[in-house]
Amino acid sequence: MLSTTTQPLSAAARLAELDLPGTIHLGRTMLEPVRRLPSDRVAFDSLLDGGWPRGRVSEIVGARSSGKTSILLACLAAATRRGEVVACIDVADALHPESLQRAGVDLGRLLWVRPPASAEALRCAELVLQAGGFGVVVLDFGDELPRHLRGHTWPRLARVTEQSNAAFVVVCSQQICGSGSALGIALQPRRVRWQPGLWSLLDGLDVRALVFRNKLGAPGRALEFGIRCEPMGDLGSSPGAIAG
Amino acid sequence: MRFVCLYVPALPLAALLRAEPDLHGVALAATDAPGPRGHVLAVSPAAERHGISVGLSAAQAQARLAGLTLRTVSPDLLRAAQAALCDAAESFSPRVEDAGVTSANAGVAYLDASGLASLFASEAHLANAAARRAETLGLPAQVGVGGSKVAAYLAARDGGGVAVIPPGEEWSFLAPISIDLLGPSRDLAGTLRRWGIRTIGELAALPAAAVATRLGPEGQRLLALARGDDPLPLQPRPAPLHFEEGIEIDYGIETVEPFLFVLRGLLDRLIARLEVRGLVCGDLRLGLRLATCGRDERTVAVAAPSNDRKALLTLVRVHLETHPPAAAVEGLRLYAVPERLRPAQLDLFRPSGPAPARLATTLARLTALCGADRVGIPEVSRGHRPDGYGVGEFVVREAAAVSVGSFFGEAGGELFASLALRAFRPAREVEVLCHRDRPQLVRGASISGRVVHAAGPWRHHGSWWDESRYTRDYYDAQLSDGGVYRLYCDLESAKWFLEGTYD
């Protein structure tokens, strides 16, 4: 108690010495509540403390076949269903339009940008965020790690994100945002499910999501869920089918 | 009927000052051609004080004043200034007559003021507003209001600022004005001077038949003008809108920055003209005259019509950086397609989305960074080719009704999402070892592993009617590295490829 009162007083005395009169207010800073973009499902939203935070950088980290793309598409689908315009900076050029459609994304409200390299991707992300009006902006590095990242990259993007009020989601195989992200989700593959039977079709993935960083709430929470595989177009409905 | 006349004295000089406002207050002479053989068309007051007058050659003018600034007035510049004057007039009434730049009445525009009484407190207010409107477009106009075009014109020329002739008082107003303002020929002016006739009133008092007998048709025309009779009724200029500005540059511009500096001036003037007409700028057309004597015509598409100078300049910059001209630019014409701004109806319950002007700029920049085929909306392939896809133009439309499908659901307390595929573009070629026609081992540049589990094959073939035909056997395979992949064997080439990974 003594230490909390001494610190401001000494600061006031120091200001008086410097002949800089001012007022020091004690108490809490009033923070504006962070708006969220819900994913429409209670369990996942409770893991995210209500949804993807707007005006903040979020990070999805996961290895190959960990379900990170499926979660990403679910996020885009929820946003477009609310009438938001969304953007995806697809560095790996890996977005599959048919998967997007099956996930429920309104393709007409998705700006798909495929930059030639990661350096251009960062510039593209900044341009889209500066344009404003986008509900979700995704920067998808896929399985490749971005090169030539500088120290000021993420603070700069975080500042632009705050001004744009979009939910900015970075997808990568490893953590790259550092303290620049407000929310970090790590996805770990648990099991690949195959249907029992003669042809044993792919049934889906079991995944564990862990909140490894949460500046807006409590980190460390985890959730296990399944990702269901659906027949993809003409393929996979039954083995041996001939189409085209 | 009442008429308003907008008159810009010394239009060539006004056109120059409109294009280069920095020349205000400088001893300036406008010439009709570059070099010493050009003739002076108009001079600024500072130059006039040093004895420079209209009609001198450029060499003579420079001999009288060494520090004289000479500028050549291009026809484009004159036409743009005259068009701007008409735009100022048309911002009050659609019935506007353009006197043209080639006639002796260059720098004159007439406006039918009938019916404007309810919009302005008095005709003086209307005249002042017209003068201010012309001033915003960079043209110092004198304004006259009268019962005929001639009366309004003479009031504008003689008044020096704003002059209104009250109805029925034309005679008393015009009588003391010199006949020189009617523009008689040199011979006729000499004859009238010998007769002792110096004012319009003295001329108008002469009997018409006697004037026609002694002075011929020109004298008759002059007498009609002196009596305030218009030779022709008001001839409104045609309806099509044409917004163009141009400039000739003394030296070739080779880099973007100086080009944009010149373009900014043209754009400012063009937008000012559009604004007084309540219009916005649509597509921009650039006509470049190149140093190689060639011409470069190009159109810069403006997705969202706007008068935002910064956004329009950015669009032009991105366009020029993507498609630079073949040589240095020595002349520039800028034409704006005028559009009416249609206010969008916002939805109370949906987000508004990106602002159209900023979105257009952003898309242009993204296209310059990534390429035109790499920015847009994803489209599912219309054919049956599994790796086919398309990229469409990104235009924000009304939100489509998307079915709340099975993409994300909760069943029995467990959360589900639809499994997505991450595509490899192009498909990665791998070596696959099979046992009894089943893949056992996959080996590639970045992905290798033993097949833990596999499903398939699914035969897929198509496009058998052309060169792009394909026949493939597809598999879903889980490898020992933990990844689940979609791979296929191309039966045409007997090679294996990884099409993507489930993620």
Side-chain angles (χ1 to χ4, degrees), chain A residues 39 41-44 63-71 73-74 77-78 80-86 90 92-116 120 123-124 127-128 130-134 140-144 192-194 199-202 204-206 223 225-230 232 234-244, chain B residues 349-355 358-359 362-363 365-366 369-370 373-381 383-384 386-391 394-411 413-425 428 438 446-447 453-465 470 474 476-478 481-486 499 501-503:
Chain A
S39 64
R41 284 297 172 255
V42 177
F44 201 75
R64 200 170 279 166
S65 296
S66 62
K68 58 183 183 296
T69 310
S70 304
I71 294 298
L73 300 198
T80 56
R81 202 165 40 254
R82 285 183 163 75
E84 300 271 10
V85 181
V86 298
D90 186 10
D93 192 6
L95 219 54
H96 190 239
E98 204 172 321
S99 294
L100 282 165
Q101 201 172 43
R102 287 178 180 279
V105 179
D106 180 355
L107 297 186
R109 301 182 79 77
L110 169 63
L111 173 61
W112 186 25
V113 184
R114 296 178 291 158
E120 281 83 3
R123 179 80 186 116
C124 289
L127 281 172
V128 172
Q130 280 172 343
F134 287 88
D140 185 359
F141 288 107
D143 300 325
E144 303 292 329
V192 181
R193 288 200 310 266
W194 297 89
W199 298 105
S200 70
L201 300 175
L202 178 64
L205 305 172
D206 285 343
L223 176 72
F225 59 96
I227 299 173
R228 187 168 52 207
C229 181
E230 292 185 5
M232 300 297 288
D234 294 329
L235 298 176
S237 52
S238 62
I242 297 175
Chain B
F349 304 104
R350 284 183 180 277
S352 56
R358 293 199 73 176
L359 179 64
T362 305
L363 288 178
R365 284 181 167 169
L366 290 173
L369 261 176
C370 309
D373 57 334
R374 300 179 77 86
V375 178
I377 59 166
E379 288 178 345
V380 177
S381 171
H384 293 281
D387 52 358
Y389 69 99
V391 179
F394 182 76
V395 180
V396 178
R397 300 185 186 90
E398 286 290 309
V402 179
S403 61
V404 184
S406 58
F407 80 99
F408 214 58
E410 285 167 321
E414 194 184 11
L415 198 68
F416 286 97
S418 174
L419 188 59
L421 184 77
R422 289 187 76 85
F424 295 143
R425 292 192 184 100
R428 296 180 191 177
R438 304 285 292 177
S446 58
I447 296 164
H453 203 115
W458 294 273
R459 174 68 54 86
H460 203 90
H461 68 159
S463 301
W464 46 264
W465 53 88
Y470 61 91
Y474 275 86
D476 289 336
Q478 178 186 359
D481 67 354
V484 184
Y485 301 90
R486 179 189 284 184
E499 189 174 286
T501 172
Y502 290 101
D503 187 32

Side-chain angles (χ1 to χ4, degrees), chain B residues 263-284:
Chain B
L263 186 78
R264 186 192 305 269
L266 296 184
L267 198 60
D268 281 345
R269 299 200 287 277
L270 211 53
I271 286 174
R273 286 175 57 191
L274 287 165
E275 279 174 347
V276 297
R277 301 290 301 278
L279 299 168
V280 290
C281 180
D283 288 353
L284 285 169

